[in-house]
Structure formats: structure tokens, C-alpha cells
Amino acid sequence: MILSKFLLNKNFRQFWITVLAVFFGSLFAKADELSSFEKRELSRLLEMDWTELANQPVSGVLGYDQEHWRNPASIAIIRPDDVFDGGHMQLVDSFRGVGGMYVTRGNAYDDFVTMRNFSGSATEKFLMLVDGREVLQPMGGTITWGTEEVPLAILDRAEIIRGPGASIWGTNAVSGVINVTTKPAESTQGNSIRLALESTGTFLGEFVHGGKIGDGEYYRVWVRNQEYSESDLLSGVPARDDGYGRKVGFRFDKNLGMDFDLTVAGAYSSRRFEHVLDLSSRLLFPTDATFTNFVPVSVATALGLPGVPPLSAYSTWPNSSGFVQPSGVPRIVNYEDLPQDAAHLRSRLSGITENDLEWSLDAFAEKYETNLGHVGHQWERDEYNLEFRGNRPLGDRNHLAFGFSYRYMEFDVAETTTLPWRFPTINLKTGLPSSDIPILQFNGPDSFERSSAFVQDTFEINEDFFISFGSKLEDGDLSGTTVQPGIRASYSANRDNLIWAAYSRAHRQASLVERHTEVSYARIWNPNPFHPVLNPTGQQWINQSFEADPSLDDEVMDAYEVGWRSSPSEKFLWELSLFYYDTKDAVFSGPPTYEAHDYTSFGGELTFNYIPSSFWELQGSYSYSQGEKEGVRQTDFPESMASLASVIHANDDLKFVQNLYFTGDRVLPSSYNELPIDDYLRLDLGMIWQVGEGWRIGLFGQDLLDPDHTENMYTDLDVEPTRIKRRFLLSISTEF
């Protein structure tokens, strides 16, 4: 106990940091012994606190710890300071500065993230893990970002691996992997508070408390509360998307012996919002007033008559004057609650054996309850996971990583027809009138299983060249049996230049909505009165839907990547990454069905980090990507994006930050009307004060160049995006 207190004494830490500085300084003087990559890493380590220095892993994509600069992949690492100093309220906001990442805001409480021109819709075609737990939602193929956020004080890092990682991570690690890890309880002793307030009224508060129970036993508890302010729709109508997201969590770490540890952690979150659904925008009418040939599908098939005309023959009911809706059909705007509750519990046993086998055994249990009240769709998901991972060196130049896992899920889904949608309409499936057709109808199985195993072997041919290859084998109810191989290699052309290349075959499972959920996206007005053939039911509204496709195969991507990482000096690092993706059976949604198409995309990212002087740091990226569906160039993803971050250290206690983001134009696809999104330039400015011991205060202006702009929406359910407004942010954090 006395020794541990002495080791953590501030003067003792400063003494050893000084000793390390002198030691590494002597190494720096020998330019022929250290590369610029190593100098940069040592410089970063020397700036850390001693407790951080002792606890800093360097992770990779090979199944075991690896120096960041040696990894044969495009990797960005987001640390807590990157989030706070960038003026970001949430971790997901900080992804905007990562090359190849497309981050957009859909409404007050949800964000969308896509990578490398593979999906311009709300579906995230990459895998995200938080402390090893997969958080991609199987129902819609999305990530509920607000639910998965953690207090900044417990965040260790977020590793963003652009490009497939399926040979280790498996299904859905298609366009990339985001791996979020939190700090051990020992590293969060004491108390910390973070408060953030936007000029829009959105508020965030976080509190973390950590303590020690006995020798080798540490714990922490935390709470996070975010109050969301209401935004406006593009038309100016209030979105009524205000609400709150609250989350509590804990972690307990115990050392069970030499190189043998136990971790138990969990969290519970609750989110409450309303959501607006403009149902009148889902009411379609023929643009040709003389149109009289609509016949329900069942009648048309029997009589050989024309059926439903193409959607180009229709338009939505305008919300402005100039057209009169059918008698008795007022403009319908529906507001409903969107409650969501989620909880998880995880435990981990980990250790290192005498023969250098580093291993971990994880068990997860989760429960999600989601109610999309605006469309009358709710589900509960119970999930259980068991996973083992291990790695060990085999001799001096060989490292083996391997693992296996089992996953079981149960779903309980219920649908209701919301009150404003309950009016007589023709059901195209039966040709009969009905007033009870939900917007979403789930017809899938209620449970799923998946087993998997992987092996990855890395050979160091010599000091300059290594090659790694492996594969993941999975067998599950959703995809059957799949094999997802990958190979990576890197070559140090010289001490300051690294060239790498990779090939991967990755699978993405179609979501349960895409496979098993019929979406009634519109009602069509039939101008014909009762007619024994043309309108035998006498109903003038016809329900229009696009059906799920349970036969959809996995999307299968063959991915080719090359990269060049160079550090001409310890002050400058740049990287060029190029990729080509060839995807079979890529799923695209929209009327009249979910369809699978061949899809190719190619592009690359140029990123750099530069320290021009002791008080100035620069970081930037430029991304270009282009996608084609069946040979037709797509416009639902911005082909060009760029970012530039500048930090000026005015003195030890004050720094100024500038973040500039450029996003190219795109056309937002929709089941209703396509929406062009113009290119936009976002400028954020801020300053951070270090006040006293442990206090930090940040003041930021965001989106300063535009009063507002639009970014995204749920394309299959919503018909109108929200406005992203100019705003100001005050952020305060302290430790005590």
C-alpha cells in the first residue's frame, strides 16, 4: 500500500517522466536508431500522465496489440480530448473529422454514419462494438448512437478501422469497424463531472464516481443525462422531437491473482421522445385527372386489366394552397411517443498464461424495448452472447490469434394501426376493403442463433515485411454457413515509409425489416366512384406498400485496399489509402420492394497530421469516393468530403481550435420524393481554458457559416428532414 501511494505521488511521476525524457532524448539524437514513426509515438507518450503511460495499449486489426503505425489498415483513433477540444457533445460528432466517414444529423436525437460510399441511407453497413459488445440493431440494421454513448471520463478510445475486418470480426464488418473501449475502474478513481449546454437548449450532464474496495478491487458508478431541444422540419413545422436520454452504469474490476482478472459491468438507458409523421404527405393522387384505369391487383390479375400505374403517375397532396384534398380528408400530422429502454450486463475473465497466451472469456446479456409509436411498431429483443478470444506468439516471428463465439436472440414484435391511419382503404393483397393496415408488418421468425470461429496468423518474414492471413467461419439462422477470409501485408520501404495492402471478403446480413417487414408507405386516391370492375368496393383509397424479401442473400463484398503511410519527420505524418469494393446482392430499399443489385465503389482518403511549431497543430483529410449500381453512377453519397482541424496553444492554460468540414452535394433517396442536399461548408470555432486544478471550460460556435441546412432523414419512413441550425456550446468538466 505504501509503495503504491509512493508510485502515484505527483513528484515521483514527474521524476520518472524527466528520466524518460532524458533517456528518449538521447535516443532521438541517434537518428539512425529510431524511425520517425517511433519518434512521434515516443513524443506522444512523453506528454502523458504517468498513470496514462502505464495503461496505454496500442491496438491493431490483427487480433493482438500492435503499434498503431505498423497496422496494415486505415485507422483513426479518437480519444476523450479529441471530443472535448473539438467542441463535440457526443462521441459520434467527432467522427466528422475522420477521412471517409460521413456523419449527418437526422433529427434532434439521432445521427447517421456511413463509410466509403457504400450506403447513403440510414442503414449503417459497418460493425460497432462497445467493450466487445456488438451494438448494431438487427431489426433495422442501424445503430442507436445516443443509447450507446458513455461519459467522456470513462472513455479510453474509439478505434475506427476503415475497410472490412470480417476475418476477425465477422458478419456486418463490411465497410469498417468502430471499436469503442472504456477505461478500467482503477483509472477512474475519484469524481468527475461534465456539463454541456447548447444555445438551442440541448443539455448534457455526466457524473462518474470511482472507488477502491480492497487490494486489487476497484469500482465505478456513473450517470448520464441528455435533454434534447425541439428542432424544425424543412417546411418550418415544429418537429416535436424534443425529449431526453438517461443512462446509468457501473463497473467492477478484481484482480484474482497474477495475470488473472475479473470484470463485471452493465448499464441501463431510457429515452423518451415524440416524433412527427406527416401522413398527408403519404396521400398520393393521380396527376392525370382523367385517369380511370386503376384496378386492385387481385381483380386486374383475374380480368387481365391494367393494375397499379407507376409512381411517376402520382404526386403527393401539397401542403400549401392551390390544390384541394378530397372531401373529408384534412391534412394529417401524427405525433406519437418513441419510448426506448435498453439494458445490458457483461462479465469478463481475462489473463495471461505461463506460455504467453493472452486470453479473455466474455458473457453478455442484453434487453432492448423499442416502440416506434408514430408508425405503430414495437419490439422487444433479448440477446445472449458468449465469446472467447486468445492470442499468443509462436516463436520470434509468428503470432496466432483465434476465437469462437455463440449468439442467441429472441424477438417479440407487435404492430398497431395508428388512429389517424384508420380509414377505409383497399388492401392490394386481397382486393378487399380494410381500415386496419399497419404501416409496418413484421412476418419473420421470433428467434435466431449464430455460432462463429476465427483464426488469424501473422508472420514476420523479416524486420521490414510481414503478412497476416485468416478467416472467420459462421453458421447462423439468418445467413446459413459463411466463410469470410482476409489477407493483409505491410512492407517498410525504409524507416519512415510503410506500404500495406489487403484483401477481404465480407458479408452483411439484410436487416429484419428488409427481409421480413412489409412497409405501407402511401395511400393512393382512386378518383373513380363505385364501378363493378374498376372499383368494385367503392373505396377511393388504395393502400400501397413494398414487401420484404425473406429470400434476400447476404451482401457479399470483395474488398481490395492499398495504403502508403509516411513520416518524413516526427512532426509530420501523412497517409494515402485507396480502395475498390465489388459487392454482390447489395440491398436497396424503395417502392415497390427491397431489391438486391451488384454495386461497386472506389475511392480513397488522404490524411495528415502536422505540427508546424511548438504551439500549433494541424490535422486534415480529403476523401473521394464513387459508387455505381448495376453500372449506373449513384448520387446518394457525397463523392467529395474534407476536414481541417487547427489547434493553437496560446499558453499552457489556453488554446484556440478551429474545425472546418466540407461535404459535397447528394440526392437523398426516398420512398416519396427525392430530396437534393446541397454541398455545405461547416465552420466551428472554439477556445478551451484550463482553470485551476482539474477544471476545463470550453466555448464553441458551430455551423457558423449558415443559419441552417438539412442533412438526412429516415428515407423509408419520413418525408421531411429537420433543419440543422447555427448554435453555440458551453462545455465544462472537472475532476475532484
Side-chain angles (χ1 to χ4, degrees), residues 514-642:
E514 293 164 339
R515 277 189 172 174
H516 300 292
T517 306
E518 181 179 354
V519 181
S520 294
Y521 62 90
R523 301 262 170 105
I524 296 175
W525 175 258
N526 180 8
N528 300 298
F530 172 80
H531 187 281
V533 174
L534 298 180
N535 190 4
T537 65
Q539 301 298 328
Q540 291 194 278
W541 286 109
I542 299 94
N543 190 70
Q544 181 71 30
S545 64
F546 56 97
E547 298 187 14
D549 186 355
S551 67
L552 285 174
D553 292 327
D554 276 7
E555 299 178 353
V556 180
M557 173 197 283
D558 288 303
Y560 307 86
E561 302 173 86
V562 294
W564 179 12
R565 189 176 296 129
S566 178
S567 184
S569 73
E570 64 270 25
K571 302 295 184 182
F572 184 48
L573 171 68
W574 67 271
E575 180 175 352
L576 175 65
S577 302
L578 304 175
F579 68 90
Y580 175 79
Y581 295 162
D582 185 5
T583 307
K584 305 298 182 185
D585 297 322
V587 178
F588 295 87
S589 63
T593 185
Y594 289 102
E595 297 179 339
H597 297 272
D598 290 345
Y599 189 86
T600 59
S601 59
F602 65 89
E605 302 99 27
L606 178 64
T607 63
F608 74 89
N609 291 268
Y610 180 43
I611 306 176
S613 67
S614 59
F615 62 86
W616 189 19
E617 301 174 23
L618 287 171
Q619 180 176 321
S621 70
Y622 172 75
S623 307
Y624 178 84
S625 58
Q626 181 178 316
E628 293 184 351
K629 179 172 68 176
E630 303 288 357
V632 178
R633 190 167 177 173
Q634 298 300 287
T635 59
D636 61 350
F637 193 97
E639 293 188 345
S640 292
M641 297 184 294

Side-chain angles (χ1 to χ4, degrees), residues 331-516:
R331 181 173 185 268
I332 305 172
V333 179
N334 188 37
Y335 298 92
E336 300 283 353
D337 290 333
L338 272 73
Q340 181 190 67
D341 296 291
H344 74 268
L345 181 67
R346 69 180 183 90
S347 62
R348 169 177 290 181
L349 285 171
S350 59
I352 303 177
T353 65
E354 293 182 355
N355 61 356
D356 295 327
L357 171 65
E358 185 177 357
W359 63 274
S360 64
L361 178 63
D362 292 272
F364 304 95
E366 300 181 60
K367 187 176 185 66
Y368 274 79
E369 297 181 359
T370 301
N371 186 350
L372 304 180
H374 63 310
V375 293
H377 185 68
Q378 60 181 338
W379 72 88
E380 295 183 11
R381 174 171 63 89
D382 296 318
E383 181 175 335
Y384 306 93
N385 289 270
L386 185 65
E387 181 175 37
F388 176 85
R389 284 180 177 264
N391 73 85
R392 60 159 299 187
L394 302 176
D396 295 334
R397 296 187 178 275
N398 191 10
H399 206 120
L400 181 69
F402 59 95
F404 57 84
S405 65
Y406 172 77
R407 185 182 194 185
Y408 176 77
M409 291 183 290
E410 285 185 349
F411 280 87
D412 184 8
V413 185
E415 300 100 3
T416 60
T417 304
T418 56
L419 184 61
W421 206 236
R422 294 177 192 165
F423 57 87
T425 184
I426 296 175
N427 188 334
L428 284 179
K429 281 188 173 181
T430 64
L432 300 176
S434 175
S435 59
D436 188 18
I437 303 178
I439 292 178
L440 297 179
Q441 299 180 71
F442 179 78
N443 298 300
D446 57 7
S447 65
F448 307 93
E449 290 183 276
R450 186 184 76 189
S451 300
S452 64
F454 83 91
V455 62
Q456 188 85 13
D457 204 359
T458 303
F459 294 91
E460 292 192 25
I461 307 301
N462 53 47
E463 293 182 356
D464 299 324
F465 177 68
F466 78 81
I467 186 169
S468 180
F469 58 89
S471 184
K472 188 149 193 175
L473 173 67
E474 293 190 347
D475 183 73
D477 294 330
L478 289 175
S479 301
T481 302
T482 63
V483 179
Q484 303 180 58
I487 182 170
R488 297 181 179 273
S490 73
Y491 172 67
S492 298
N494 54 48
R495 301 186 63 80
D496 300 325
N497 289 274
L498 184 80
I499 301 171
W500 60 268
Y503 163 77
S504 302
R505 169 162 285 190
H507 287 238
R508 175 197 173 257
Q509 290 175 345
S511 69
L512 299 184
V513 169
E514 293 164 339
R515 277 189 172 174
H516 300 292

